[in-house]
Coordinates of all heavy atoms in Angstrom, one line a residue:
Chain A
P691 N -122.9 -150.0 -128.7 CA -122.7 -151.5 -128.7 C -123.1 -152.2 -127.4 O -122.9 -151.6 -126.4 CB -121.2 -151.7 -129.1 CG -120.6 -150.3 -128.7 CD -121.6 -149.3 -128.8
P692 N -123.5 -153.4 -127.5 CA -123.9 -154.1 -126.2 C -122.7 -154.1 -125.2 O -121.5 -154.5 -125.6 CB -124.3 -155.5 -126.6 CG -124.5 -155.4 -128.0 CD -123.6 -154.3 -128.6
N693 N -122.9 -153.7 -124.0 CA -121.9 -153.8 -123.0 C -122.5 -153.9 -121.6 O -123.8 -153.7 -121.5 CB -121.0 -152.6 -123.1 CG -121.6 -151.4 -122.4 OD1 -121.4 -151.1 -121.3 ND2 -122.4 -150.7 -123.3
D694 N -121.8 -154.2 -120.6 CA -122.3 -154.1 -119.2 C -121.2 -153.5 -118.4 O -120.1 -153.2 -118.8 CB -122.6 -155.6 -118.8 CG -123.7 -155.5 -117.6 OD1 -124.0 -154.4 -117.1 OD2 -124.2 -156.6 -117.3
V695 N -121.5 -153.2 -117.1 CA -120.5 -152.6 -116.3 C -119.3 -153.5 -116.2 O -119.5 -154.7 -115.9 CB -121.1 -152.3 -114.9 CG1 -120.1 -151.7 -113.9 CG2 -122.3 -151.4 -115.0
P696 N -118.1 -153.0 -116.4 CA -116.9 -153.8 -116.3 C -116.8 -154.6 -114.9 O -117.1 -154.0 -113.9 CB -115.7 -152.9 -116.5 CG -116.4 -151.6 -117.1 CD -117.7 -151.6 -116.7
E697 N -116.4 -155.8 -115.0 CA -116.2 -156.6 -113.8 C -115.3 -155.9 -112.8 O -115.4 -156.0 -111.6 CB -115.7 -158.0 -114.1 CG -116.9 -159.0 -114.4 CD -117.7 -158.5 -115.6 OE1 -117.2 -157.9 -116.6 OE2 -119.0 -158.8 -115.7
A698 N -114.3 -155.1 -113.3 CA -113.4 -154.4 -112.4 C -114.1 -153.4 -111.6 O -113.7 -153.0 -110.5 CB -112.3 -153.7 -113.2
N699 N -115.2 -152.9 -112.1 CA -116.1 -151.9 -111.4 C -117.2 -152.6 -110.6 O -118.2 -152.0 -110.3 CB -116.7 -150.9 -112.3 CG -115.6 -150.1 -113.0 OD1 -114.4 -150.1 -112.5 ND2 -115.9 -149.3 -113.9
G700 N -117.1 -154.0 -110.5 CA -118.1 -154.7 -109.7 C -119.1 -155.5 -110.7 O -119.9 -156.2 -110.1
G701 N -119.0 -155.2 -112.0 CA -119.9 -155.9 -112.9 C -121.3 -155.4 -112.8 O -121.7 -154.7 -111.9
G702 N -122.1 -155.8 -113.9 CA -123.5 -155.4 -113.9 C -124.3 -156.7 -113.5 O -124.6 -156.9 -112.4
A703 N -124.6 -157.5 -114.6 CA -125.4 -158.7 -114.4 C -124.5 -159.7 -113.5 O -125.1 -160.6 -112.8 CB -125.8 -159.4 -115.6
T704 N -123.2 -159.6 -113.5 CA -122.4 -160.6 -112.8 C -122.1 -160.1 -111.4 O -121.4 -160.8 -110.6 CB -121.0 -160.7 -113.5 OG1 -120.4 -159.4 -113.5 CG2 -121.2 -161.3 -114.9
R705 N -122.6 -158.9 -110.9 CA -122.3 -158.4 -109.6 C -122.8 -159.4 -108.5 O -123.9 -159.8 -108.5 CB -123.0 -157.1 -109.4 CG -122.6 -156.4 -108.1 CD -123.0 -154.9 -108.1 NE -122.2 -154.2 -109.1 CZ -122.2 -152.9 -109.2 NH1 -123.0 -152.1 -108.4 NH2 -121.5 -152.3 -110.2
N706 N -121.8 -159.8 -107.7 CA -122.1 -160.8 -106.6 C -122.5 -162.1 -107.0 O -123.1 -162.9 -106.3 CB -123.1 -160.2 -105.6 CG -122.5 -159.3 -104.6 OD1 -122.6 -158.1 -104.7 ND2 -122.0 -159.9 -103.5
A707 N -122.2 -162.5 -108.3 CA -122.5 -163.8 -108.7 C -121.5 -164.8 -108.2 O -121.8 -166.0 -108.3 CB -122.5 -163.8 -110.3
E708 N -120.4 -164.4 -107.8 CA -119.3 -165.3 -107.2 C -119.6 -165.4 -105.7 O -119.5 -164.4 -105.0 CB -118.0 -164.7 -107.6 CG -116.9 -165.7 -107.0 CD -115.5 -165.2 -107.2 OE1 -115.3 -164.5 -108.1 OE2 -114.7 -165.5 -106.3
P709 N -119.9 -166.6 -105.2 CA -120.0 -166.7 -103.8 C -118.7 -166.3 -103.0 O -117.6 -166.6 -103.6 CB -120.4 -168.1 -103.5 CG -120.7 -168.7 -104.9 CD -120.0 -167.9 -105.9
L710 N -118.9 -165.7 -101.9 CA -117.7 -165.4 -101.1 C -117.2 -166.7 -100.3 O -116.2 -166.7 -99.8 CB -118.0 -164.3 -100.1 CG -116.8 -163.5 -99.5 CD1 -116.0 -162.7 -100.5 CD2 -117.2 -162.6 -98.3
Y711 N -118.0 -167.7 -100.4 CA -117.7 -168.9 -99.6 C -116.5 -169.6 -100.1 O -116.1 -169.5 -101.2 CB -118.9 -169.8 -99.6 CG -120.2 -169.3 -99.0 CD1 -121.3 -168.9 -99.7 CD2 -120.2 -169.0 -97.6 CE1 -122.4 -168.3 -99.2 CE2 -121.4 -168.4 -97.0 CZ -122.4 -168.0 -97.8 OH -123.5 -167.5 -97.3
A712 N -115.9 -170.4 -99.2 CA -114.8 -171.2 -99.6 C -115.2 -172.5 -100.4 O -115.6 -173.5 -99.8 CB -114.0 -171.6 -98.3
I713 N -115.2 -172.2 -101.7 CA -115.6 -173.4 -102.6 C -114.5 -173.5 -103.6 O -114.0 -172.5 -104.1 CB -116.9 -172.9 -103.4 CG1 -118.0 -172.7 -102.4 CG2 -117.3 -174.0 -104.4 CD1 -119.3 -172.1 -103.0
P714 N -113.9 -174.7 -103.8 CA -112.7 -174.9 -104.5 C -112.8 -174.4 -106.0 O -111.8 -173.8 -106.4 CB -112.5 -176.4 -104.5 CG -113.2 -176.9 -103.2 CD -114.4 -175.9 -103.1
A715 N -113.9 -174.5 -106.7 CA -114.0 -174.1 -108.0 C -115.3 -173.2 -108.2 O -116.3 -173.7 -107.8 CB -114.0 -175.3 -109.0
K716 N -115.1 -172.0 -108.7 CA -116.3 -171.2 -108.9 C -116.1 -170.6 -110.3 O -115.1 -170.2 -110.8 CB -116.3 -170.0 -107.9 CG -116.3 -170.3 -106.5 CD -116.2 -169.1 -105.6 CE -115.3 -169.2 -104.4 NZ -115.3 -168.1 -103.5
R717 N -117.3 -170.5 -111.0 CA -117.3 -169.9 -112.3 C -118.6 -169.2 -112.6 O -119.6 -169.5 -111.9 CB -117.1 -170.9 -113.4 CG -118.2 -171.9 -113.8 CD -117.7 -172.9 -114.7 NE -116.6 -173.7 -114.2 CZ -116.8 -174.6 -113.2 NH1 -118.1 -174.8 -112.7 NH2 -115.8 -175.4 -112.8
I718 N -118.6 -168.2 -113.5 CA -119.8 -167.5 -113.9 C -119.9 -167.6 -115.4 O -118.9 -167.5 -116.1 CB -119.7 -165.9 -113.5 CG1 -119.5 -165.8 -112.0 CG2 -120.9 -165.2 -114.1 CD1 -119.1 -164.3 -111.6
L719 N -121.1 -167.8 -115.8 CA -121.3 -167.7 -117.2 C -122.5 -166.7 -117.5 O -123.6 -167.0 -117.1 CB -121.8 -169.2 -117.8 CG -122.1 -169.2 -119.3 CD1 -120.9 -168.6 -120.2 CD2 -122.3 -170.6 -119.8
H720 N -122.1 -165.6 -118.1 CA -123.1 -164.5 -118.3 C -123.5 -164.5 -119.7 O -122.7 -164.3 -120.6 CB -122.4 -163.2 -117.8 CG -123.2 -162.0 -118.2 ND1 -122.7 -160.8 -118.4 CD2 -124.5 -161.8 -118.3 CE1 -123.6 -159.9 -118.6 NE2 -124.7 -160.5 -118.6
H721 N -124.8 -164.6 -120.0 CA -125.3 -164.4 -121.3 C -125.9 -163.0 -121.3 O -127.0 -162.7 -120.8 CB -126.5 -165.4 -121.6 CG -126.0 -166.9 -121.4 ND1 -125.2 -167.5 -122.2 CD2 -126.3 -167.7 -120.4 CE1 -125.0 -168.7 -121.8 NE2 -125.7 -168.9 -120.6
L722 N -125.1 -162.1 -121.9 CA -125.5 -160.6 -122.1 C -126.5 -160.6 -123.2 O -126.2 -160.6 -124.3 CB -124.3 -159.7 -122.3 CG -124.6 -158.3 -122.6 CD1 -125.4 -157.6 -121.6 CD2 -123.3 -157.6 -122.9
V723 N -127.8 -160.5 -122.8 CA -128.9 -160.6 -123.8 C -128.9 -159.3 -124.6 O -129.0 -158.2 -123.9 CB -130.3 -160.9 -123.1 CG1 -131.4 -160.9 -124.1 CG2 -130.2 -162.2 -122.4
T724 N -128.9 -159.3 -125.8 CA -128.7 -158.0 -126.6 C -130.1 -157.6 -127.2 O -130.1 -156.5 -127.7 CB -127.8 -158.3 -127.7 OG1 -128.1 -159.4 -128.6 CG2 -126.4 -158.6 -127.2

Side-chain angles (χ1 to χ4, degrees):
Chain A
N693 75 95
D694 206 348
V695 177
E697 274 58 34
N699 297 348
T704 60
R705 186 164 293 188
N706 275 97
E708 180 186 330
L710 199 67
Y711 298 112
I713 300 171
K716 304 180 218 181
R717 73 188 62 74
I718 299 169
L719 180 53
H720 171 205
H721 308 285
L722 172 58
V723 178
T724 55

